[in-house]
Amino acid sequence: MIKKIGHLFLVLLCTFGLFNNAKADINAAKRSVPRIALIGFDGSGQGFMSTGSGFAIGKNLVITNYHVISQYDNLSQPIILSIGPNGEAKRLKAQIKAFDKQADIALLFVPEGNYVPLPLSLSRADSEIGVFALGYPGVVDDVYQRQTDQILSPSRPEAFEGTVSNYVNQSPNGENVETINHSAQISGGNSGGPLVDECGRVIGVNTWRDTQNGTYSFAVSAKIVANFLKSNGVSVPIIEDKCVSAGQKATAEAENAQEKLHQLITDSETTKQSIIANQQEIESTKQNLKSQIEVLKIIIFSISAILIATLGFVFFMALKPKAITNSKTPITMFAIFIFAAIFGGAGFIVWKTKFQKQDNSNSVKISNEIAKEITGAVPNNSNTQIGAVPNANDKSSSNDDELLKDANLGAKYSCNFDNTASQKFQTDTSNFENTLNFRLSQNTSCLMGRTQYIENNSKLIRLRPSDKERALFVSIFDPKTNTYSQKRIALDSERFDKLKSMTDKIPRKTCGEQVKNQEAAVYKEFASEINSNALENFVWRCKPSQ
């Protein structure tokens, strides 16, 4: 649950941050969007003004719609102004450098301009990508009841968001011009303004709108603008890579963050296992120190006994110097040395018995633990049987050969622990010399006739959870190399609970198709973990036996 909440938090955090980045890109693009105004007098001497929007494609070059400045030649004393935006250049005079009536685009030269150019994007925007119509819509001027002098003063361009519907090869007026149909709202005054994607790149020039219901807007594609500029010898920044939306970025960032979180959890589990191992090593060292102290006590006891006997003998000889000739003297000396030998020998026997018993106990303990995790069985102390071992309280299983007579068993194997090839981290295997013995049934995926494994690439594999830690035990027998191995792999709590819930449903001491399917489901679920780095890997070298 904590992981899921953390994942959701990361998604929301990444989404919030990336949408803020998209907003920053749009705000940056606004600084390159001036208002365009054509002012003059018509034939009757009346004042005339036509306004629109534009965008910079160079330091002193601006793109707008041709119809915004199309009346230039029909006016007396005409002036074209590039105004603002707010905080940028004020009213600057502009000149017509080139135009294309069919595409309805014009290039203006602003001698005193110092604009930051916007890049053109030639990649087609997906419907998942948000687009923004930037400019100076007349409807906003009307709402604020702006007068002429206010309209001709620098102001902040508006941004209306929408999505791209499709690209068509014909404009609304029937011209053979690639046009973008989109839903970002525009009105009179937006003409010539840029249609930009979430990355702040120009994908089109807003030119027409649906005057009947205002649902659709239309823009000349950036491809047409790029060809127009190229034909007029103007080089501009062009981007062909697609813009990745804030949502797509958020998803990618969240997935990356989730991977890092999962790695952090895995690392913490590994660190925890390392701490446990260190604690166990410290405890083992304590036990060894206690044992060594006991040995030291026994040695001191034995030496003390010998010294006491020796001092007694010396004292005896000092008090009775002539007793050496007494017939009882040899008997007395013999008794003293026997006394010393008994005490010294008793100390040695206690020491040897105690430590030999401890070594055997360690070896059997390690052997039992490994076999238990591999098969879920409790082995005999001398030879560990891989597979379900007969229950001593079950009369029907007291004789292993009797129990297995109907198991249709095949080859026997005897496996010796390979201390060199094994990768040990936590378990002390210095005294691990037990031999693993098992038999394959004719159905080779069943060991000892009742422990079900699955076959994968000719190997026999079985997965089980540890009952002492959050770890996965993987048992593998490879008949090609006659190698038996067991891996111990750390799992996080969620994956360990999943493993335990699946394996708890599998009946023990049973082979069969149903059990095999259950084992296969466990393998499929945890196949990725099997190939991860193991905390430990124990290896036995096997050979057929009689």
Side-chain angles (χ1 to χ4, degrees):
M1 174 61 91
I2 294 176
K3 285 179 64 179
K4 291 181 179 178
I5 293 175
H7 180 215
L8 179 60
F9 175 75
L10 288 171
V11 170
L12 293 175
L13 184 63
C14 293
T15 303
F16 178 76
L18 290 168
F19 272 114
N20 277 343
N21 289 341
K23 185 177 179 180
D25 290 336
I26 301 305
N27 287 334
K30 286 181 178 181
R31 293 196 289 269
S32 300
V33 179
R35 187 196 293 264
I36 305 299
L38 170 63
I39 304 173
F41 298 93
D42 60 17
S44 62
Q46 294 293 322
F48 174 89
M49 183 173 72
S50 171
T51 63
S53 304
F55 62 93
I57 49 92
K59 179 181 178 181
N60 47 21
L61 295 175
V62 174
I63 287 288
T64 189
N65 277 142
Y66 171 72
H67 72 257
V68 174
I69 49 89
S70 61
Q71 295 300 313
Y72 182 86
D73 291 333
N74 298 326
L75 298 176
S76 60
Q77 303 179 27
I79 298 175
I80 299 176
L81 297 176
S82 178
I83 308 166
N86 190 28
E88 303 295 332
K90 297 184 178 181
R91 301 174 188 172
L92 301 178
K93 290 184 179 181
Q95 305 167 8
I96 300 174
K97 183 177 178 65
F99 59 85
D100 184 337
K101 292 183 180 180
Q102 182 179 358
D104 199 357
I105 51 179
L107 175 63
L108 304 180
F109 174 63
V110 185
E112 298 181 19
N114 189 28
Y115 299 110
V116 177
L118 292 179
L120 299 180
S121 174
L122 300 187
S123 64
R124 294 196 171 194
D126 297 329
S127 59
E128 299 177 355
I129 302 293
V131 294
F132 299 82
L134 306 183
Y136 301 86
V139 65
V140 176
D141 294 334
D142 294 341
V143 168
Y144 288 103
Q145 300 180 354
R146 290 171 178 163
Q147 301 301 313
T148 301
D149 61 334
Q150 293 175 310
I151 293 175
L152 296 180
S153 298
S155 61
R156 181 184 179 86
E158 304 293 334
F160 291 95
E161 185 177 2
T163 57
V164 170
S165 174
N166 56 22
Y167 284 71
V168 295
N169 291 323
Q170 188 178 43
S171 66
N173 59 9
E175 298 292 346
N176 185 24
V177 176
E178 185 177 68
T179 305
I180 303 172
N181 297 355
H182 63 89
S183 62
Q185 183 180 355
I186 64 174
S187 65
N190 275 113
S191 294
L195 181 67
V196 301
D197 58 24
E198 290 183 11
C199 301
R201 308 175 309 185
V202 178
I203 64 171
V205 182
N206 288 310
T207 307
W208 305 275
R209 63 187 175 92
D210 180 3
T211 57
Q212 293 183 353
N213 52 38
T215 303
Y216 297 104
S217 303
F218 306 90
V220 176
S221 73
K223 178 181 177 181
I224 299 298
V225 177
N227 291 337
F228 165 71
L229 293 173
K230 183 178 180 180
S231 64
N232 286 279
V234 178
S235 178
V236 295
I238 293 178
I239 300 175
E240 297 187 0
D241 295 335
K242 286 190 175 184
C243 175
V244 180
S245 70
Q248 292 170 332
K249 288 180 180 178
T251 301
E253 290 290 342
E255 290 176 352
N256 185 47
Q258 186 181 19
E259 289 180 3
K260 291 181 178 179
L261 178 61
H262 182 268
Q263 184 61 44
L264 181 63
I265 293 172
T266 302
D267 291 343
S268 66
E269 288 292 335
T270 302
T271 303
K272 181 179 178 180
Q273 295 300 329
S274 177
I275 293 173
I276 292 173
N278 290 336
Q279 290 175 342
Q280 292 178 346
E281 185 177 353
I282 291 172
E283 187 63 29
S284 176
T285 302
K286 287 181 179 179
Q287 294 298 328
N288 289 336
L289 287 174
K290 288 181 180 180
S291 299
Q292 291 175 9
I293 291 173
E294 291 297 324
V295 172
L296 185 59
K297 288 179 180 179
I298 293 170
I299 293 173
I300 292 174
F301 173 77
S302 301
I303 294 174
S304 298
I306 295 172
L307 288 175
I308 290 172
T310 303
L311 290 174
F313 174 73
V314 172
F315 182 74
F316 173 78
M317 294 299 294
L319 290 178
K320 295 182 179 182
K322 296 181 179 180
I324 194 66
T325 59
N326 194 305
S327 59
K328 295 182 179 181
T329 299
I331 296 175
T332 303
M333 293 176 63
F334 179 75
I336 291 173
F337 279 106
I338 289 297
F339 174 79
I342 288 173
F343 275 88
F348 176 76
I349 291 171
V350 171
W351 169 78
K352 184 173 180 61
T353 302
K354 180 179 180 64
F355 272 81
Q356 191 170 29
K357 182 178 179 181
Q358 182 177 350
D359 288 347
N360 290 337
S361 175
N362 286 342
S363 179
V364 171
K365 182 179 179 181
I366 294 171
S367 172
N368 289 353
E369 177 68 16
I370 296 299
K372 183 177 180 181
E373 299 299 350
I374 294 174
T375 66
V378 180
N380 300 324
N381 286 347
S382 59
N383 290 302
T384 301
Q385 301 289 331
I386 299 181
V389 174
N391 186 343
N393 297 322
D394 186 354
K395 294 181 180 180
S396 63
S397 64
S398 58
N399 187 317
D400 200 39
D401 291 334
E402 181 69 21
L403 182 69
L404 302 179
K405 66 180 182 180
D406 296 325
N408 195 23
L409 297 180
K412 289 183 178 181
Y413 286 89
S414 177
C415 307
N416 293 319
F417 183 67
D418 189 336
N419 191 60
T420 303
S422 298
Q423 297 177 356
K424 295 160 289 185
F425 172 67
Q426 179 175 328
T427 305
D428 180 10
T429 59
S430 58
N431 296 307
F432 192 13
E433 298 177 353
N434 288 37
T435 300
L436 301 181
N437 297 315
F438 64 91
R439 296 182 68 179
L440 298 179
S441 64
Q442 297 298 331
N443 173 17
T444 55
S445 59
C446 183
L447 271 69
M448 297 299 292
R450 57 206 165 203
T451 304
Q452 185 68 60
Y453 281 60
I454 65 166
E455 296 183 57
N456 184 271
N457 294 328
S458 75
K459 297 179 181 179
L460 303 185
I461 304 176
R462 190 168 187 261
L463 282 67
R464 280 296 178 273
S466 169
D467 59 356
K468 295 184 178 181
E469 59 183 346
R470 287 196 293 268
L472 165 67
F473 284 89
V474 184
S475 304
I476 303 174
F477 176 63
D478 187 348
K480 290 184 177 180
T481 60
N482 286 338
T483 302
Y484 198 99
S485 63
Q486 185 235 350
K487 294 182 178 180
R488 184 169 68 89
I489 301 169
L491 296 178
D492 60 44
S493 56
E494 183 177 340
R495 293 295 287 164
F496 179 77
D497 292 342
K498 176 73 172 178
L499 173 65
K500 199 168 188 314
S501 67
M502 294 182 72
T503 55
D504 284 348
K505 299 175 184 177
I506 302 176
R508 298 180 62 186
K509 298 186 180 181
T510 305
C511 287
E513 198 62 31
Q514 180 181 354
V515 179
K516 184 185 295 185
N517 291 338
Q518 290 175 303
E519 296 286 358
V522 175
Y523 175 80
K524 182 178 180 181
E525 175 68 26
F526 291 89
S528 59
E529 278 89 348
I530 293 175
N531 296 323
S532 60
N533 293 329
L535 295 177
E536 292 182 314
N537 185 27
F538 297 98
V539 179
W540 286 262
R541 302 300 180 186
C542 306
K543 60 181 179 180
S545 61
Q546 298 298 325

